[in-house]
Amino acid sequence: MLLPMQSKFSESKPGAEWWRSAVIYQIYPRSFADGNGDGIGDIPGITSRLDALAELGIDAIWCSPLTKSPQKDAGYDVSDYRDIEPLFGTLGDFDELVQKAGERGIRIIMDLVPNHSSEEHIWFQEALASEPGSAARNRYMFRDGKGETGQLPPNNWESVFGGVAWTRITEKDGNPGQWYLHMFDKSQPDFNWENEEVKAEFDSVLRFWLDRGAAGFRIDVAHGLVKAEGLPDVVSNDTTMAGEDANKPADELTPHPFWGQEGVHEINRRWRKVLDEYDDRAMCAEAWVMPLSKMATWVRSDEYHQTFNFAFLETKWNRDKMKAVINESIAEFSNVGAPPTWVLSNHDVIRHTTRLSYDQVPKQGDGIGPDYAQPDEALGLKRGRAASAMMLGLPGGAYIYQGEELGLPEHTTLDGSVRQDPTYFRTNGERVGRDGCRVPIPWSATESAFGFSSTGNSWLPQPDAFSNYARSSQKGKPGSTLELYKSLLALRKDNELGHGSLEWKNDLVPQGAFAYKNGSVLVVVNFTNQPFALPDGELLITTQWGLETKGELEADQVAWISA
Ligand code: NOJ
Ligand code: CA
């Protein structure tokens, strides 16, 4: 097995714990780069493009699931946790990726999916073939149905992807039998996290990838593993992963039977102990728990290293709301000694370059289709770039989703016939789902499939507009989004902003805008609709073309100033 060359990894301060300040780039493997021309991105494709990521200046890559999977939910349905999905390559390809990334000082973070497996996982197949009440069934959430003949689901829970969260099986004797729980697609049965065998299995899976050189894990649906005893009905069936109470204060929350149960913290601690057996590894929770005071309990010193800041991601382009969520995040995370971890886009949400052009967007995970009011692309791009420049000056860690460094918009006109997200099918097209943010990214304006694949194949069609966003046309071009990101990341690293702290300097800007200082960098954000003169200091970088000569920062633009 090949191990990364640790010495290449940047560590700005001794013992600084790289993840505290890291910029982590999310790769959605199907859509990053296709190495063999079948139209689906793969590991050799990723490895061949590492130089582009090294140039961008990231510290680590998180790959959405690479593990073996029938791909009913694009890899979030794992059939073998210790092998690589053949569509993406082999374990050897993975080792090579870890090695080559390591040579460039880039760590590789795996995506672990512990809430559910694929229906094709050997354990689930065993469960189906076994008797009710058997040890094999007890690894998953099987229950008898309600009603005279057990014909009704055991409770009223709904799948995040729409429809009932239970599926009834046919027993070996050919009769309708028990039901199993699946919080997502019916091909994704939920594990029983009260079961010791399940716990031991995942300890072992963690070690498997850590031994292979993974720098850590992004943990899928980390807040959903434990279900309330007795599986009580849910009071409201909001299907977002945060639940409908997302914005209420902690003491007003209705206890939710499957999101954010207290029992999950024990699992968090168990995994932290496993990671602590190794040097320098980290795990980040996908935990849609609100408010931030509750989310912060996930990153206490013996639990996760990081958790995605979804409160920040879901904040509108509004000065007061942004300021409040930044303040609250920094305060709550520092209460427990953890860094905040900022994020604006990922493979489940509408790309922020599109999202921020709207006052109101569909609920998380629902997506935008051709029937929805179409976005103002120019406004979205302007605000998207501004939001990124605002975010990358903040102390803590940051996540970037592939393509956002190109300013890529959501594909909002995908036809139903090409959609693949289970959400679309489980809601009969009512919620179009997440395909629009998962379209293969453009590398070249002139090549077939915009350089994603040498054959021109692409598992989702790319819109023509992607030619305007191709990496080749932005590389080296002053003012392009790609060059903006490179400069932001370089300045962030040189000034150690990830390790810094935030001080508001709002007296330097007009009301309605904001400015904060991190070290010697002043970040000025114009949320107003009027230009204003920049505060004194050397201009380091700006989202605004021609600001140097104009001297006034326009609406929805950001400047970093040395002050
Ligand atoms: C969250 C993942 O990010 C999403 O893509 C997936 O569909 C669900 N979890 C289920 O695993
Ligand atoms: Ca491929």
Side-chain angles (χ1 to χ4, degrees), residues 103-277:
E103 287 166 10
R104 290 161 176 81
I106 297 174
R107 294 172 160 90
I108 299 291
I109 296 170
M110 294 294 277
D111 202 318
L112 186 78
V113 189
N115 180 67
H116 44 267
S117 71
S118 155
E119 63 190 344
E120 290 184 18
H121 191 283
I122 184 167
W123 275 6
F124 192 67
Q125 289 303 313
E126 271 174 39
L128 290 180
S130 304
E131 300 299 324
S134 60
R137 288 249 168 125
N138 194 38
R139 293 173 182 139
Y140 290 91
M141 304 290 288
F142 280 89
R143 294 290 185 278
D144 294 331
K146 283 187 176 162
E148 251 167 56
T149 57
Q151 77 281 20
L152 300 172
N155 67 21
N156 72 349
W157 296 2
E158 282 185 15
S159 152
V160 173
F161 295 159
V164 178
W166 295 91
T167 290
R168 193 172 196 189
I169 64 162
T170 303
E171 300 290 353
K172 274 189 295 185
D173 60 10
N175 289 318
Q178 286 197 299
W179 298 70
Y180 67 89
L181 177 69
H182 50 86
M183 289 318 310
F184 295 89
D185 188 49
K186 80 183 212 308
S187 62
Q188 295 167 294
D190 277 46
F191 280 117
N192 171 14
W193 271 93
E194 305 295 329
N195 184 317
E196 290 305 319
E197 220 186 326
V198 170
K199 296 183 191 172
E201 170 67 0
F202 276 92
D203 292 351
S204 153
V205 168
L206 289 172
R207 290 195 181 93
F208 178 86
W209 294 106
L210 295 170
D211 287 342
R212 274 202 116 83
F217 301 93
R218 173 266 187 190
I219 309 261
D220 190 62
V221 204
H223 63 312
L225 307 185
V226 173
K227 279 77 180 175
E229 208 179 320
L231 311 184
D233 277 355
V234 71
V235 180
S236 115
N237 254 330
D238 180 329
T239 52
T240 65
M241 288 209 282
E244 65 147 13
D245 289 333
N247 297 315
K248 286 193 188 163
D251 54 0
E252 286 176 29
L253 292 177
T254 323
H256 196 280
F258 48 88
W259 297 143
Q261 293 285 301
E262 263 310 295
V264 180
H265 292 287
E266 188 194 318
I267 303 170
N268 300 352
R269 286 190 275 265
R270 182 181 179 118
W271 289 344
R272 179 64 180 253
K273 284 200 187 104
V274 174
L275 265 78
D276 285 349
E277 293 166 14

Side-chain angles (χ1 to χ4, degrees), residues 271-308:
W271 289 344
R272 179 64 180 253
K273 284 200 187 104
V274 174
L275 265 78
D276 285 349
E277 293 166 14
Y278 298 77
D279 281 345
D280 238 11
R281 314 297 169 101
M283 55 180 192
C284 179
E286 186 210 21
W288 291 85
V289 282
M290 312 275 182
L292 280 156
S293 54
K294 187 168 179 195
M295 185 182 269
T297 63
W298 284 64
V299 280
R300 290 175 288 200
S301 60
D302 58 349
E303 300 194 36
Y304 279 86
H305 301 78
Q306 296 183 324
T307 178
F308 294 110

